[in-house]
């Protein structure tokens, strides 16, 4: 009888161990399972080359900062902001969670350095400070962002903040982010080189690009923006140029940085295989 009880305990122990392992694996898979979407575009023609769930409204995470920077570049070009103009960092900006630069309340920071922190380090406090510098409040800046998105044809997009932190109604799509990526390339080529830098200096600190591993691994890549939140997964808008072809690709909802890099490599390869050589007189560089 004692031997039988001992065998039963072993059986139950093994069963419990197996069930626990299955639960952990299942929980781990669900924790890293995000709504997935992709879009690949010929940057010169704007033609769709490949897509999956491209119009699904999903969390853009820090891909949002592409619109923040687009509008800041626009304000600089229109003379409403100067790159060397000092912005007073608000308490609201300082309170933003990481990723952040770590400014102090009331600290005076030039627009130039805020741009670098937002673009390269994906600093949420820098993005918020830029939005407030343009529109006074982040809420008003969100409305400005959404109006601009609609004017670009980004019909699945609505913005609530300058940084991409999860908020009700703050949504976009892979196709819309490809449209925005293309507008950054064409409308502000003089600033676009910033997205391809592996690092920059801001306030005597060296900031490393959150996208530097992909930039180093894929030939011809020169941007653009990473994004991650627990609601979004690992997002990426990327561009690359080879000879007379330039391709833009966007991923929403990858499960890890390594998976995102692997899939982006595949998508850009698809893009270059399908894109046509650009023979126009004016080329985007």
């Amino acid at each position: 009888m004692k031997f039988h009880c001992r065998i039963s305990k072993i059986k139950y122990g093994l069963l419990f161990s197996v069930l626990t392992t299955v639960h952990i694996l299942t929980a781990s898979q669900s924790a890293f399972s995000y709504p997935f979407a992709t879009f690949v575009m010929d940057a010169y023609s704007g033609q769709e080359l490949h897509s999956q769930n491209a119009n699904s409204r999903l969390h853009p995470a820090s891909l949002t900062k592409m619109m923040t920077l687009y509008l800041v570049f626009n304000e600089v070009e229109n003379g409403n902001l100067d790159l060397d103009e000092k912005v007073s960092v608000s308490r609201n900006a300082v309170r933003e969670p990481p990723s952040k630069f770590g400014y102090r309340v009331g600290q005076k920071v030039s627009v130039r350095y805020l741009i670098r922190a937002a673009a390269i380090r994906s600093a949420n406090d820098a993005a918020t400070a830029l939005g407030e510098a343009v529109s006074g409040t982040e809420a008003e800046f969100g409305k400005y962002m959404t109006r601009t998105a609609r004017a670009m044809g980004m019909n699945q997009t609505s913005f609530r903040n300058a940084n991409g932190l999860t908020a009700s109604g703050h949504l976009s799509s892979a196709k819309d982010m490809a449209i925005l990526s293309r507008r950054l390339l064409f409308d502000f080529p003089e600033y676009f080189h910033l997205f391809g830098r592996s690092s920059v200096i801001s306030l005597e600190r060296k900031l490393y690009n959150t996208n530097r591993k992909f930039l180093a691994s894929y030939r011809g890549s020169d941007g653009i923006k990473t994004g991650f939140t627990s609601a979004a997964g690992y997002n990426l808008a990327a561009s690359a140029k080879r000879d007379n072809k330039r391709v833009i690709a966007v991923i929403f909802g990858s499960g890890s940085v390594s998976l995102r890099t692997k899939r982006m490599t595949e998508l850009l390869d698809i893009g270059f295989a399908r894109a046509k050589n650009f023979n126009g007189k004016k080329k985007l560089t």
Side-chain angles (χ1 to χ4, degrees):
M1 178 66 72
K2 289 182 179 179
F3 180 74
H4 174 74
C5 291
R6 192 175 295 118
I7 293 295
S8 296
K9 287 180 180 179
I10 292 171
K11 287 181 178 179
Y12 283 125
L14 288 171
L15 178 62
F16 178 78
S17 177
V18 170
L19 290 175
T20 300
T21 302
V22 169
H23 173 75
I24 290 171
L25 288 173
T26 303
S28 177
Q29 288 174 349
S30 63
F32 293 94
S33 179
Y34 306 100
F36 188 75
T38 64
F39 191 84
V40 184
M41 173 191 287
D42 184 318
Y44 290 123
S45 68
Q47 179 185 359
E48 176 183 332
L49 302 174
H50 174 82
S51 68
Q52 178 182 349
N53 304 322
N55 288 310
S56 298
R57 300 189 77 219
L58 304 172
H59 299 285
S62 283
L63 300 193
T64 299
K65 294 183 178 78
M66 291 194 298
M67 179 60 85
T68 298
L69 293 164
Y70 181 95
L71 293 177
V72 170
F73 297 155
N74 186 61
E75 295 297 313
V76 170
E77 290 297 295
N78 289 335
N80 299 321
L81 279 179
D82 187 274
L83 289 174
D84 294 316
E85 180 178 338
K86 294 292 183 70
V87 171
S88 180
V89 180
S90 71
R91 186 175 301 277
N92 179 51
V94 169
R95 286 176 174 173
E96 299 290 14
S99 172
K100 61 196 297 181
F101 186 90
Y103 304 109
R104 303 182 307 277
V105 177
Q107 185 175 353
K108 304 288 187 180
V109 184
S110 71
V111 170
R112 184 188 309 276
Y113 287 148
L114 290 172
I115 288 172
R116 291 180 182 181
I120 300 300
R121 186 68 187 94
S122 198
N124 294 324
D125 48 1
T128 297
L130 286 169
E132 291 173 341
V134 171
S135 296
T137 68
E138 194 170 23
E140 286 301 313
F141 188 66
K143 295 176 184 178
Y144 182 21
M145 296 168 78
T146 302
R147 289 195 304 271
T148 305
R150 290 289 188 274
M152 289 181 179
M154 297 170 62
N155 297 321
Q156 307 304 321
T157 299
S158 55
F159 293 113
R160 299 291 182 267
N161 58 56
N163 47 57
L165 291 168
T166 304
S168 178
H170 188 97
L171 299 167
S172 187
S173 70
K175 181 178 180 179
D176 281 3
M177 283 296 164
I179 292 171
L180 176 56
S181 299
R182 186 169 185 254
R183 290 297 299 266
L184 272 171
L185 278 165
F186 275 100
D187 294 350
F188 299 109
E190 66 271 35
Y191 297 109
F192 189 78
H193 66 90
L194 177 66
F195 297 105
R197 293 187 185 181
S198 61
S199 65
V200 295
I201 301 297
S202 181
L203 297 180
E204 299 182 350
R205 280 174 52 184
K206 191 171 187 177
L207 306 181
Y208 291 96
N209 196 324
T210 57
N211 197 30
R212 64 189 180 278
K213 290 184 178 179
F214 178 76
L215 291 170
S217 68
Y218 194 85
R219 181 172 64 86
S221 62
D222 56 4
I224 307 171
K225 190 72 192 70
T226 61
F228 172 79
T229 64
S230 58
Y234 294 84
N235 298 351
L236 177 60
S239 70
K241 184 179 184 296
R242 293 180 179 176
D243 300 321
N244 290 328
K245 296 181 180 181
R246 183 185 277 279
V247 175
I248 291 168
V250 176
I251 290 176
F252 273 57
S254 190
S256 68
V257 172
S258 60
L259 287 173
R260 181 177 69 187
T261 298
K262 180 176 182 294
R263 186 57 178 147
M264 181 56 75
T265 297
E266 295 169 351
L267 290 173
L268 288 173
D269 286 347
I270 290 171
F272 281 114
R274 297 180 180 178
K276 296 179 180 179
N277 284 310
F278 182 73
N279 296 314
K281 293 181 180 180
K282 183 179 180 181
K283 295 181 181 179
L284 182 66
T285 58

